[in-house]
Amino acid sequence: MSATRTIPVDAIDHLHQIGDELRTIWLAMGNTVDLEDDGVLTPVREALNGSTNRLEDVCKLMQG
């Protein structure tokens, strides 16, 4: 038997908002025109992108 949980829509909306904020940070980190990009940001951006994608996957699962 598996228990059924009801997840408030507000909670899912907040998680989507966090995902949007993470994507904004990801985009800002990619805008390195004013910085000397020595490749240090690339792994950070990749990790951030992976976390953002996992968050989106969790949101989809929670929505059913």
Side-chain angles (χ1 to χ4, degrees):
M1 296 179 132
S2 64
T4 302
R5 290 187 187 183
T6 302
I7 300 169
V9 175
D10 286 350
I12 296 171
D13 288 343
H14 288 295
L15 290 174
H16 279 294
Q17 182 178 0
I18 292 168
D20 291 343
E21 292 169 2
L22 290 173
R23 280 190 176 75
T24 300
I25 294 167
W26 181 83
L27 289 169
M29 290 177 72
N31 187 11
T32 57
V33 174
D34 297 331
L35 302 173
E36 286 188 34
D37 185 12
D38 56 3
V40 173
L41 292 179
T42 300
V44 175
R45 288 186 78 223
E46 289 174 356
L48 185 59
N49 189 45
S51 296
T52 303
N53 289 336
R54 285 192 303 279
L55 179 62
E56 189 63 32
D57 290 344
V58 168
C59 288
K60 288 177 185 176
L61 284 174
M62 291 171 63
Q63 288 175 316

